[in-house]
Amino acid sequence: MQSYGEVAVEQMAREGAVVVFSVSTCCMCHAVKRLFCGMGVHPTVYELDHHPRGPDIHRALTGLLLSSSASASASSIGDGGNASLLPVVFIGGKLVGAMDSVMASHINGTLVPLLKEAGALWL
Amino acid sequence: MGFGYSINDQQHGAAYFGELEEALMQRVDGVEGDGDTKYTNILPTLEIFPSWSMRYQQIHGGDLGSAGKNTASEVESESPLSRNQDSSEQTSEKKQKNILMANDASVIGAAQNNKLGAQEKRKITGSMRKEGNLLDAKTLRRLAQNREAARKSRLRKKAYVQQLESSRIRLQQLEQELQRSQSQGLFLGGCIAPGDINSGAAAVFDIEYNRWLDDNGKHLSALRAGLQARLLDGNLGLIIDECLAHHDELFRLRAVAAKCDAFHLLIGTWTTPAERCFLWMGGFRPSELIKILMPHLDPLTEQQLMGICSLQQSSQQAEEALLQGFEQLHHSLADTVATGLPANDGTLSYMDYTAVALDKLANLEVFIRQADNLRQQTLHQIRHILTTQQAARCFLAIGEYYSRLRALSSLWASRPLQNFAANESGWSTATDVHVIQQPSKPTNLGASDKLCAEKGIISGSPIF
């Protein structure tokens, strides 16, 4: 039985080739947005602090990250407050992960093919 | 407690009270504006109601005593402030009261009654007859001034208490910081004195980093030996993997240090000046490292070259993004610290910005962690792209590069500064760089030549 948050996340993650869950005041979220813009990608951004069901979505994202294998960020979630978990990135509807997963996939060359596959990047 | 001063006891302390009388004269003259004799002018200060009869004086001697006590306690409690903040008029009045309070108590009414000389009695009865009031104008003014003084001293007391409050908060914070540092100091097993606030995570990291450097040197020696021995790829690969794991170990140490003291990593006192100057987010900048190494990785295949170039490009993009996020953090923090400037009420402003600012500072650790993540991924990707032989040479080159920077730092630190005075043009001669081993003989071209030759330093270059 899925919670509201989980359903919402699934739905929202499919609404763009690149979807970023963020908080408007978070500097790391700003960094990930700049990263995509620098690559010529225009992500769909959801600012959870401006969303009416923000906390539910946040909780669902936390659960997803903890259970997914794509979290080198899992260790970071345990440590601090909520801020360390965002931003969370979905490409082509699939979870990529938090900031370090995004960076890691960019460095090892898997990010660009993912973006191209999702239609977010041409060339 | 009360006024123990007695005119009739001059023989006991006339000299001591001589100055007091002078001070009282100045004070009284300024306010009262009359030039009566010493004794008649002193008494209005001592007795608030000089025109009252003896009976009233006896009663109000008690009141005076209590009033005196009140002002005395106020004065004593705020004496630190009164020294700084009083106007001169008030200060002299308070000082006089202080001196008077310090004397032995006696029943005011009776004592003062005895002090009344003939002149004074005449003056008092004269004024009484003139006004026809029990309280004459001077007395009213005196009362008003006392009220004013009491009000001001209450305000000063309030300000002092607020000062104490903010100091108390600061003290609490310092104690917490001390506790934290002490508990971190315990991890070293008592190597670091527990009383030192600046020890703790920073010192622990410094020590562990130096130990890491030593171990890294050993790994590099093993690599060098492996290359020279032309080991098979399998065996050489093992040594390389050990090297890489050793780097991973450093990132783990840095993660721990970043949690306790992010500033320490960013500021870079754990590294040498030449390295620190070009520090990026508390460490090396991956794209720069690739740029430095690339010419030395030849021969590269087409595929490898493309891999390295795209690695460099991705790294640059990631670095740029992190940097922009970091700059936004900086601006956000600056805005927070600057809220409500200039401060109207010191205590309140201090409380307001600190909570938000501390929250934002917590992001420093996150940025360092992401930068380290970038560095770590880059090193691993380099290993992935290159062949075993190339990777071995690459890691050796990285190690050698940083040890050269460290050597450069110590050479720079020991360069001769006394030649600045001797050589007015500021341009060194060939001899200047060689003073390291023989500082007392700047023109000696001796054994230090060898040191410089080893390090590849060009002589004749300007010191600045």
Side-chain angles (χ1 to χ4, degrees):
Chain A
M1 179 64 195
Q2 279 190 317
S3 70
Y4 172 90
E6 287 163 359
V7 172
V9 165
E10 255 182 65
Q11 231 175 5
M12 291 154 94
R14 272 187 247 123
E15 277 178 26
V18 180
V19 175
V20 177
F21 291 92
S22 143
V23 169
S24 56
T25 55
C26 168
C27 302
M28 200 50 83
C29 299
H30 180 74
V32 88
K33 290 176 217 165
R34 302 297 333 150
L35 176 65
F36 283 124
C37 293
M39 294 167 70
V41 173
H42 299 287
T44 310
V45 178
Y46 293 109
E47 304 286 5
L48 292 185
D49 51 337
H50 297 151
H51 197 280
R53 300 296 294 261
D56 296 324
I57 297 170
H58 199 221
R59 221 172 301 134
L61 286 171
T62 313
L64 266 178
L65 277 180
L66 282 174
S67 62
S68 82
S69 54
S71 53
S73 55
S75 55
S76 71
I77 293 169
D79 307 339
N82 300 327
S84 56
L85 124 76
L86 292 175
V88 176
V89 174
F90 287 79
I91 299 181
K94 281 190 296 211
L95 176 68
V96 173
M99 187 59 164
D100 44 2
S101 308
V102 174
M103 304 268 263
S105 83
H106 194 31
I107 291 296
N108 64 31
T110 55
L111 187 65
V112 169
L114 259 181
L115 288 170
K116 285 185 182 167
E117 206 183 300
L121 202 58
W122 291 276
L123 192 99
Chain B
M1 185 161 0
F3 306 103
Y5 173 69
S6 163
I7 296 172
N8 292 336
D9 291 340
Q10 285 175 55
Q11 60 269 34
H12 294 302
Y16 172 70
F17 288 113
E19 284 173 27
L20 169 64
E21 288 171 22
E22 288 302 310
L24 283 169
M25 283 310 98
Q26 287 161 14
R27 163 77 184 88
V28 167
D29 280 346
V31 175
E32 301 291 344
D34 59 32
D36 282 342
T37 63
K38 278 187 181 183
Y39 300 132
T40 55
N41 278 336
I42 287 171
L43 287 171
T45 313
L46 296 176
E47 299 175 23
I48 291 173
F49 313 103
S51 54
W52 287 34
S53 67
M54 252 205 283
R55 184 172 66 83
Y56 283 105
Q57 279 169 353
Q58 272 180 337
I59 294 168
H60 285 280
D63 279 356
L64 260 182
S66 57
K69 273 184 204 139
N70 283 342
T71 44
S73 62
E74 279 184 304
V75 164
E76 280 165 10
S77 70
E78 49 146 32
S79 55
L81 289 179
S82 63
R83 245 176 276 130
N84 304 326
Q85 297 170 10
D86 257 337
S87 66
S88 56
E89 195 182 72
Q90 300 281 9
T91 309
S92 62
E93 183 182 39
K94 297 242 178 313
K95 276 184 185 159
Q96 291 148 27
K97 284 188 183 165
N98 259 330
I99 294 166
L100 293 169
M101 300 303 161
N103 296 331
D104 289 336
S106 59
V107 178
I108 295 163
Q112 285 172 345
N113 193 37
N114 293 333
K115 289 177 218 160
L116 289 177
Q119 274 177 321
E120 179 56 16
K121 273 187 178 149
R122 239 180 288 130
K123 171 177 161 58
I124 287 168
T125 48
S127 64
M128 193 166 92
R129 247 185 264 123
K130 227 188 313 180
E131 305 288 332
N133 294 332
L134 283 176
L135 303 175
D136 63 2
K138 287 179 195 169
T139 308
L140 280 171
R141 205 183 328 162
R142 180 76 55 201
L143 279 175
Q145 281 166 351
N146 277 347
R147 271 197 297 277
E148 187 58 33
R151 192 180 69 87
K152 283 190 181 159
S153 64
R154 276 194 296 277
L155 286 173
R156 274 192 293 273
K157 184 177 182 181
K158 193 176 165 191
Y160 182 59
V161 166
Q162 277 183 339
Q163 234 180 29
L164 283 180
E165 278 297 301
S166 58
S167 300
R168 191 176 63 87
I169 291 163
R170 180 87 188 109
L171 180 63
Q172 268 180 351
Q173 288 182 336
L174 283 173
E175 279 176 348
Q176 277 176 3
E177 199 184 314
L178 182 61
Q179 261 182 357
R180 217 180 303 136
S181 310
Q182 281 181 345
S183 65
Q184 286 161 4
L186 282 175
F187 290 141
L188 280 187
C191 300
I192 298 220
D196 188 355
I197 289 181
N198 291 325
S199 69
V204 169
F205 177 74
D206 286 359
I207 289 173
E208 289 182 327
Y209 175 68
N210 282 311
R211 200 183 301 146
W212 183 90
L213 276 178
D214 289 339
D215 291 343
N216 196 43
K218 290 180 196 145
H219 281 107
L220 291 179
S221 306
L223 257 185
R224 207 173 289 124
L227 269 178
Q228 279 175 351
R230 300 181 188 276
L231 284 183
L232 292 177
D233 278 6
N235 295 334
L236 195 58
L238 284 175
I239 304 177
I240 295 171
D241 289 341
E242 263 177 34
C243 234
L244 206 51
H246 192 57
H247 278 277
D248 289 344
E249 176 60 30
L250 180 59
F251 289 121
R252 265 193 295 276
L253 288 174
R254 287 169 59 95
V256 172
K259 233 185 287 272
C260 307
D261 193 350
F263 281 129
H264 182 66
L265 283 179
L266 286 171
I267 292 168
T269 35
W270 51 273
T271 187
T272 57
E275 296 170 283
R276 194 182 314 151
C277 184
F278 305 105
L279 216 60
W280 182 83
M281 299 266 217
F284 70 84
R285 187 162 186 160
S287 59
E288 262 171 29
L289 191 65
I290 296 171
K291 204 189 309 182
I292 290 165
L293 294 175
M294 241 170 43
H296 306 285
L297 295 178
D298 288 335
L300 291 171
T301 67
E302 193 73 24
Q303 196 184 23
Q304 281 180 325
L305 194 58
M306 276 182 56
I308 294 279
C309 284
S310 98
L311 172 63
Q312 190 177 15
Q313 192 187 31
S314 319
S315 183
Q316 266 170 342
Q317 285 169 341
E319 289 160 20
E320 186 59 34
L322 272 186
L323 200 59
Q324 291 192 14
F326 193 74
E327 275 170 14
Q328 202 206 39
L329 174 63
H330 179 207
H331 289 137
S332 169
L333 183 69
D335 282 343
T336 303
V337 172
T339 42
L341 283 182
N344 295 318
D345 180 342
T347 317
L348 209 55
S349 298
Y350 178 76
M351 294 303 290
D352 269 350
Y353 78 78
T354 47
V356 182
L358 286 173
D359 217 34
K360 294 191 177 172
L361 279 180
N363 283 303
L364 284 178
E365 186 225 329
V366 182
F367 272 94
I368 293 176
R369 226 188 33 241
Q370 292 302 333
D372 276 359
N373 178 40
L374 193 60
R375 291 185 258 262
Q376 192 175 20
Q377 294 297 325
T378 305
L379 285 178
H380 280 263
Q381 183 67 1
I382 288 175
R383 171 72 187 98
H384 182 75
I385 292 173
L386 299 177
T387 66
T388 312
Q389 297 289 327
Q390 287 168 330
R393 286 206 304 275
C394 179
F395 280 97
L396 270 177
I398 294 174
E400 180 61 22
Y401 178 75
Y402 284 104
S403 76
R404 283 188 187 183
L405 276 184
R406 283 190 290 272
L408 196 63
S409 294
S410 33
L411 282 173
W412 179 257
S414 61
R415 80 194 187 286
L417 290 176
Q418 61 265 28
N419 283 309
F420 282 154
N423 196 340
E424 304 231 358
S425 67
W427 289 82
S428 76
T429 61
T431 59
D432 286 348
V433 189
H434 303 291
V435 186
I436 300 139
Q437 292 183 358
Q438 294 169 24
S440 58
K441 297 179 189 172
T443 57
N444 192 321
L445 287 165
S448 47
D449 263 330
K450 183 177 168 223
L451 178 70
C452 295
E454 264 180 1
K455 300 298 173 187
I457 291 176
I458 305 164
S459 33
S461 54
I463 286 185
F464 55 12

